[in-house]
Amino acid sequence: MASYTFKGGVHIPNLYLVKKPEVRQVAPPEQVVLPLQQRVGGKQKPCVKVGDKVLTGQVIAKTLGKYPTYMHASISGVVLAIEKHPIPHPSGIDGVCIVIDSDGRDKWIEIEKCDQDFLRCAPSKVIQRIREAGIVGMGGAGFPTHIKISNAQGAQTLIVNATECEPDIMCDDALMQHYPREIIRGVEVLMHGCGARKAIIAIENDKQEAFNSLLMYNFNEHIEIVQIPTKYTSGAEKILIKTLLDIEIPSGEFASDYGVLCQNVGTVKAIYDAVIDNKPLISRIVTVTGSAVKEPRNYEARLGTSFASVVAQSKPNNNLHQIRMGGMMMGVDVPSVQYSICKTTNCIFVNNATLKPSTQSCIRCGQCNEVCPVGLLPQQLFWYAKSENMDRAMDYNLRDCIECRCCDIVCPSHIPLAQYFSFAKALYYKQTKEKQKTDIARERFEFKEFRVERNKTERAEMMARKKEELKKKMAEDKTQKDKIAQAVARVKNKGVLRK
Ligand code: SF4
Ligand code: SF4
């Protein structure tokens, strides 16, 4: 068996591991709050209004722009409001949400059946079904799945990312143990959709039960299931591709450019639901864990269910809490549990509030350089980011930083390096945008000057040409010349007479 590994990265122990593979089903809530702002692709437009009755699975909002996506009602009931609520978005701002009050029936809309044998459907029909089911990358990126598949048409290899990667998140592990048959079938659907002849499902080697479950249901010789070392950041797309296929994807290029399509295992299960079971994406598995909960657990909850109602089932203590959405490494701190579960919510951390250690000066130990999984020099980057020397930071490939925080956690001076890099990238792109704006304004001004100057020259040339033509014409006009001579003579004679 091949031994898959990669340079850099860190081993992080699981501290608050969910002990049982159980997935507790959360009953459809009395109310759901569904944000219109998507992680990628802008805001969706509601296709319902306040007071409308909706059924579970009904389309209630969509975008038709560059990245068209659909949102469905996750319960049946009445649209209570379309108004601003706190949304689980890294920006931390409020966003417009559709609020549905349950009618207690959870009555599904009738969805047109797709041909059960998906292999007879054209790949374009499979992609269309995925689009209409509102599926986005469920590993956290939230990129519309149908776009990713369309861009990877003709891919040779499909990689299913089942690494989970960050410590303590167990939602994909639970998913694989509960739905192995659906996942294998979902992989086949996806292979048909993108045209890949081969698929590799990559699982970290601490998820033995999940690995066994998938092996038991895999009868397809074109699907390989492999174990990779449990090391953070094994699940980052380019790192996973390098680990499995030894393909190095350069900065600014994409997996699809190299005949590879990468999809998260949760997304694959959602694809199965959409294409085989004709169900849109209206629920997901979420891990609730952390130092402040007595019963860390996985829950399957409808989208729009409040964090608070799910967290309450894990019995949090009464201390002051720090809430984090997503993993401890790449998640986002949020002020409270007033948010609702969305398509990319894989984990809710509830920790006892603690003081962060104070930041000290860099001692140039070089430990950060050792662990960077993309081969950057965080120590150098830090100096340039801190002094806002963006050009030098870019020379050191700042744009390739995946903000994984490996450098942060080994830094003995507790410098929040990834935060600096995130800020520096934002500043660079802002400056570049502003520079582009200034360049455009300057070019416009210069073009205007050039136009005025060119008009002047053209006018002068035209006048000179006309004068020349006139002269020529006059020279050729003999009669005219004579008339002039006679006139001159007359004038002269008059002058003589006067004398
Ligand atoms: S945050 Fe960026 S610089 Fe630091 S280890 Fe990760 S990729 Fe490297
Ligand atoms: S790990 Fe921290 S202290 Fe050590 S070189 Fe990197 S930034 Fe400096």
Side-chain angles (χ1 to χ4, degrees):
M1 188 189 283
S3 91
Y4 301 103
T5 189
F6 64 97
K7 195 173 166 288
V10 285
H11 295 277
I12 311 171
N14 291 302
L15 294 176
Y16 314 109
L17 206 56
V18 177
K19 299 282 183 309
K20 296 182 203 160
E22 167 203 11
V23 176
R24 182 175 284 186
Q25 295 296 322
V26 178
E30 285 177 8
Q31 188 177 86
V32 290
V33 179
L34 298 155
L36 294 174
Q37 178 67 47
Q38 300 301 291
R39 198 92 183 247
V40 179
K43 212 188 257 177
Q44 293 181 319
K45 281 207 172 106
C47 12
V48 289
K49 52 187 191 312
V50 174
D52 281 0
K53 285 184 178 167
V54 292
L55 297 171
T56 309
Q58 181 179 331
V59 174
I60 54 170
K62 55 185 163 185
T63 48
L64 294 174
K66 195 175 170 197
Y67 302 114
T69 51
Y70 287 76
M71 183 165 74
H72 305 79
S74 54
I75 55 173
S76 64
V78 176
V79 177
L80 182 73
I82 300 176
E83 60 187 14
K84 282 195 170 181
H85 279 263
I87 55 168
H89 192 271
S91 63
I93 52 164
D94 286 1
V96 178
C97 300
I98 298 182
V99 184
I100 303 172
D101 253 0
S102 170
D103 57 11
R105 296 186 305 153
D106 193 27
K107 189 166 175 359
W108 275 78
I109 193 166
E110 274 193 29
I111 298 170
E112 192 199 330
K113 287 263 173 192
C114 173
D115 186 345
Q116 276 297 104
D117 183 1
F118 67 87
L119 288 173
R120 289 195 185 168
C121 299
S124 59
K125 195 162 177 214
V126 171
I127 295 170
Q128 185 192 340
R129 188 73 201 99
I130 291 168
R131 176 167 74 95
E132 288 169 357
I135 300 173
V136 299
M138 292 173 78
F143 192 84
T145 302
H146 66 278
I147 306 267
K148 210 169 167 186
I149 303 173
S150 302
N151 289 345
Q153 280 304 297
Q156 281 106 50
T157 313
L158 165 68
I159 291 180
V160 178
N161 187 347
T163 61
E164 208 122 54
C165 197
E166 290 209 39
D168 295 314
I169 304 180
M170 299 285 289
C171 58
D172 288 347
D173 191 352
L175 183 87
M176 288 183 275
Q177 292 189 53
H178 282 261
Y179 301 104
R181 188 184 68 81
E182 289 81 355
I183 289 167
I184 297 292
R185 205 83 179 109
V187 173
E188 291 172 338
V189 173
L190 201 41
M191 287 169 77
H192 179 61
C194 71
R197 296 222 186 98
K198 176 182 156 194
I200 305 173
I201 306 177
I203 307 179
E204 282 178 318
N205 56 10
D206 65 343
K207 296 172 179 58
Q208 193 60 44
E209 291 81 7
F211 178 72
N212 294 342
S213 306
L214 290 182
L215 274 185
M216 206 183 300
Y217 282 89
N218 182 24
F219 304 105
N220 189 327
E221 57 178 329
H222 301 290
I223 301 177
E224 194 184 350
I225 306 168
V226 303
Q227 287 182 301
I228 61 169
T230 306
K231 185 163 80 156
Y232 181 72
T233 56
S234 58
E237 187 169 290
K238 287 186 178 179
I239 293 170
L240 189 58
I241 292 170
K242 169 83 178 117
T243 307
L244 297 173
L245 304 174
D246 199 24
I247 296 175
E248 190 117 26
I249 299 180
S251 173
E253 295 189 33
F254 300 97
S256 55
D257 300 332
Y258 291 79
V260 183
L261 171 65
C262 230
Q263 285 292 347
N264 165 267
V265 70
T267 313
V268 171
K269 162 68 168 52
I271 288 172
Y272 169 88
D273 292 340
V275 179
I276 308 285
D277 274 358
N278 307 300
K279 281 187 182 164
L281 180 55
I282 60 151
S283 67
R284 69 156 297 142
I285 299 181
V286 184
T287 303
V288 175
T289 188
S291 59
V293 297
K294 202 171 160 198
E295 297 177 8
R297 190 179 288 118
N298 291 304
Y299 298 92
E300 184 156 11
R302 296 290 171 96
L303 302 179
T305 304
S306 75
F307 281 15
S309 65
V310 183
V311 167
Q313 298 189 37
S314 277
K315 303 192 179 155
N317 61 25
N318 293 324
N319 299 345
L320 203 56
H321 297 152
Q322 275 171 342
I323 312 294
R324 195 169 174 86
M325 200 173 64
M328 284 314 291
M329 298 300 287
M330 290 178 89
V332 183
D333 286 329
V334 289
S336 70
V337 284
Q338 63 182 329
Y339 298 91
S340 54
I341 289 167
C342 66
K343 293 174 184 178
T344 53
T345 314
N346 53 2
C347 183
I348 305 167
F349 262 97
V350 187
N351 286 322
N352 292 312
T354 50
L355 285 175
K356 283 187 182 150
S358 59
T359 302
Q360 309 291 321
S361 303
C362 171
I363 54 168
R364 297 171 189 268
C365 65
Q367 290 190 53
C368 51
N369 300 341
E370 300 285 311
V371 296
C372 179
V374 284
L376 303 181
L377 297 172
Q379 186 194 343
Q380 290 295 330
L381 282 176
F382 169 59
W383 294 114
Y384 295 128
K386 200 176 170 197
S387 56
E388 297 188 14
N389 188 344
M390 296 304 132
D391 290 336
R392 288 301 284 147
M394 284 298 156
D395 288 345
Y396 277 80
N397 299 320
L398 174 67
R399 63 164 62 76
D400 290 344
C401 171
I402 55 171
E403 296 171 32
C404 63
R405 290 188 59 230
C406 284
C407 48
D408 278 29
I409 60 162
V410 297
C411 176
S413 299
H414 306 294
I415 302 170
L417 294 159
Q419 253 180 40
Y420 272 100
F421 304 151
S422 168
F423 166 77
K425 276 198 276 184
L427 186 65
Y428 173 77
Y429 292 126
K430 189 168 171 263
Q431 283 176 353
T432 313
K433 232 176 176 179
E434 273 165 12
K435 191 171 173 301
Q436 273 171 356
K437 267 191 203 163
T438 321
D439 286 351
I440 289 170
R442 199 195 61 242
E443 275 166 22
R444 272 199 196 129
F445 176 75
E446 284 173 359
F447 183 61
K448 193 180 162 200
E449 294 278 286
F450 164 77
R451 236 176 36 222
V452 170
E453 209 45 46
R454 192 188 56 191
N455 287 349
K456 258 193 212 166
T457 318
E458 280 178 0
R459 198 173 160 72
E461 283 171 1
M462 191 182 72
M463 293 302 286
R465 225 174 21 247
K466 275 192 173 171
K467 210 171 162 185
E468 200 51 43
E469 279 169 13
L470 194 64
K471 254 186 181 174
K472 211 172 159 191
K473 200 177 168 205
M474 282 169 75
E476 284 170 4
D477 192 347
K478 216 167 173 299
T479 327
Q480 184 75 8
K481 251 180 154 183
D482 292 346
K483 277 183 187 170
I484 292 169
Q486 286 165 10
V488 172
R490 268 201 308 276
V491 172
K492 277 184 184 168
N493 289 339
K494 271 184 192 170
V496 172
L497 284 175
R498 266 196 212 116
K499 276 181 192 170

